[in-house]
Amino acid sequence: MRERPRDPETGLPLSSILPGISPGSVDGWSVHTRALRERQAGEDVIVLSVGDPDFDTPPAITERAIEALREGHTHYTPAGGIRPLREAIAESEGRRLGRDVGINEVVVCAGAQNALYTAMRCIVDPGDEVILLSPPYTMFDGVVGSCGGTVATVPLQRENGFAIDFTKLEAAVSGNTRAILLNSPHNPSGAIAGPGEVARMADLCKANGLWLISDEVYADLCYDAEFVSPSTLPGMRERTVVIRSLSKSHAMSGWRIGWALAPEFLAEAMLDLLNHALYGSPGFIQHACVTALTADIGELEEMKNAYRARRDIVCDAFDPIPGVEVVRPASGLFCILDVSAFGTPTMKIAEELYAAEGVSILPGEAFGTEHDSWMRLALCQPEPAIRDAAARAARFFSGLTMAEPAQQKAAGA
Ligand SMILES: Cc1ncc(COP(=O)(O)O)c(C=O)c1O
């Protein structure tokens, strides 16, 4: 049990769960926060540190929200979603996954983040362990911690395309393990777990009586390979929670709608929890989401193509920069820049790059202090801004000295 934080003035205690939310000592987001503030103030800043789509939500969706407001969808709604939205999700997810999805498996939440938290809260007790594959999406640790759970971390094999190391994964399973959290397509690397990996992961969960929480928020943004959801494998629908949202694929991050697909027993528990924690999401937004999932919206393919093109531009524009290696992502909104050649922690690089050139790129340390040799660049700016950022970054990095071994490698020794 962690110590309860206390109000310094009154001594009144808060929950001992709180220190588990943000235990880290490094604020990996400090450059990003500053960049947003300075961009707002009109400064010449390029923000490539966050995966918030720069596109506007497609107009058909926005128009439907306005219409639904005028129709009076401004009242309470059932926790877990209005029936037309749950039906639309069941239908579209059924199509994506190639299996039947019942509406009782669908739980509408306030974004994937809320779906993740709600599922975790229903599964994890204090003392339980959840296995994360590292680097994990920056919020995963805090979600587990805020449910009183502890995290067991298994590194992905960076040198091997971020493949899962099953020897280490199997060794990490203990009597306290309750769930494995798989995020594929993966933030930050964009790697997609192959069918063989997904099948092995499924077998591991079945053999050890574990839940599999499968965060699939980037599944609609696969460029080079398709993603097989573990929930489609035999015996897995019963133990998999699929986490999804419209934030990325539909440029709807600010609408705060996502969902979980869960076996009915868990879905009912989530509804009960949401009833107490959220009490329903706005009706007019949910009606707009029905349109998002059922109308033929051409912008979705256009946005996906634009992200793919930006991915290629980043690979071409950043990779010639001496000392910077782009890890080409197969999916998603991010590229990893390997800057290990400089032998300098990425927090320092991010601060100096921003101070010198006004380009904000997220340091790896935002994912944990051990991730200090790479940075994450988001593809959420138009092409000219990405090219401009690459030119500025080239100027900045040309002034940095590479560490000795990297110098020798660059010189062909
Ligand atoms: C892997 C992953 N899961 C969940 C989320 C949260 O998404 P949402 O906006 O739907 O809450 C994000 C957002 O960046 C993410 O990258």
Side-chain angles (χ1 to χ4, degrees):
M1 198 64 141
R2 297 182 180 95
E3 217 175 301
R4 302 177 78 130
R6 286 180 186 274
D7 185 315
E9 275 176 31
T10 60
L12 286 169
L14 301 180
S15 164
S16 57
I17 293 292
L18 292 167
I21 301 180
S22 306
S25 52
V26 174
D27 179 9
W29 290 89
S30 57
V31 170
H32 173 72
T33 314
R34 183 175 155 202
L36 288 187
R37 197 176 54 238
E38 294 183 353
R39 184 174 69 179
Q40 180 95 22
E43 294 193 24
D44 175 22
V45 161
I46 305 175
V47 179
L48 296 173
S49 31
V50 72
D52 188 355
D54 54 314
F55 295 103
D56 287 335
T57 301
I61 302 171
T62 309
E63 288 307 319
R64 179 63 194 120
I66 295 166
E67 195 180 73
L69 266 172
R70 294 215 168 95
E71 286 166 5
H73 292 290
T74 52
H75 298 273
Y76 289 130
T77 62
I82 57 171
R83 193 173 174 94
L85 181 55
R86 292 172 79 192
E87 280 170 356
I89 292 170
E91 168 87 32
S92 76
E93 288 289 67
R95 234 178 300 123
R96 176 178 78 91
L97 298 169
R99 68 164 168 94
D100 270 357
V101 175
I103 100 156
N104 292 339
E105 293 173 63
V106 177
V107 184
V108 175
C109 301
Q113 189 65 39
N114 180 237
L116 201 55
Y117 179 82
T118 308
M120 198 68 78
R121 200 78 190 82
C122 289
I123 289 174
V124 166
D125 256 350
D128 285 347
E129 248 172 40
V130 175
I131 299 180
L132 301 186
L133 302 171
S134 175
Y137 165 52
T138 52
M139 297 292 196
F140 285 163
D141 270 88
V143 169
V144 177
S146 62
C147 295
T150 50
V151 160
T153 300
V154 174
L156 289 162
Q157 302 173 70
R158 218 173 113 200
E159 62 294 350
N160 190 10
F162 290 86
I164 299 168
D165 183 334
F166 279 95
T167 310
K168 288 198 177 131
L169 183 57
E170 279 158 19
V173 176
S174 75
N176 293 329
T177 309
R178 207 59 56 222
I180 300 178
L181 209 169
L182 173 70
N183 168 216
S184 181
H186 181 230
N187 172 7
S189 73
I192 301 173
E197 287 177 288
V198 175
R200 242 180 122 173
M201 175 74 89
D203 288 345
L204 187 66
C205 289
K206 283 189 283 191
N208 291 280
L210 305 179
W211 288 98
L212 181 55
I213 304 175
S214 181
D215 180 332
E216 303 177 12
V217 302
Y218 296 100
D220 299 317
L221 296 174
C222 292
Y223 312 126
D224 296 340
E226 280 312 310
F227 169 64
V228 180
S229 169
S231 71
T232 60
L233 301 184
M236 286 309 288
R237 179 184 185 155
E238 299 85 329
R239 60 175 65 252
T240 307
V241 190
V242 174
I243 305 291
R244 295 269 293 156
S245 82
L246 299 172
S247 295
K248 316 289 180 177
S249 54
H250 289 63
M252 292 179 72
S253 51
W255 296 66
R256 309 312 303 136
I257 291 287
W259 58 86
L261 304 180
E264 284 186 30
F265 181 63
L266 172 58
E268 267 172 38
M270 290 178 69
L271 286 184
D272 196 18
L273 179 56
L274 280 174
N275 205 15
H276 292 82
L278 183 65
Y279 210 51
S281 297
F284 61 96
I285 289 185
Q286 293 190 64
H287 281 281
C289 291
V290 172
T291 298
L293 290 169
T294 55
D296 185 12
I297 298 176
E299 288 92 338
L300 303 185
E301 197 57 27
E302 286 168 23
M303 290 192 283
K304 182 175 168 183
N305 289 339
Y307 292 130
R308 184 194 284 112
R310 292 172 185 183
R311 187 258 326 243
D312 294 340
I313 289 166
V314 167
C315 292
D316 292 347
F318 277 78
D319 227 354
I321 302 176
V324 178
E325 189 193 325
V326 183
V327 182
R328 191 184 183 83
S331 67
L333 296 181
F334 307 104
C335 285
I336 282 187
L337 307 182
D338 185 331
V339 290
S340 53
F342 299 104
T344 306
T346 52
M347 194 64 212
K348 190 162 184 284
I349 294 184
E351 280 165 2
E352 290 180 0
L353 169 63
Y354 184 74
E357 297 288 349
V359 176
S360 169
I361 299 180
L362 195 69
E365 279 129 301
F367 295 81
T369 44
E370 68 276 30
H371 301 291
D372 62 352
S373 61
W374 52 265
M375 306 173 80
R376 190 196 73 177
L377 179 152
L379 303 170
C380 298
Q381 289 291 333
E383 288 182 20
I386 290 178
R387 287 187 202 282
D388 187 7
R392 296 184 194 198
R395 204 158 48 210
F396 168 77
F397 283 113
S398 66
L400 286 192
T401 314
M402 279 193 242
E404 285 264 310
Q407 271 180 13
Q408 285 164 7
K409 198 171 151 206

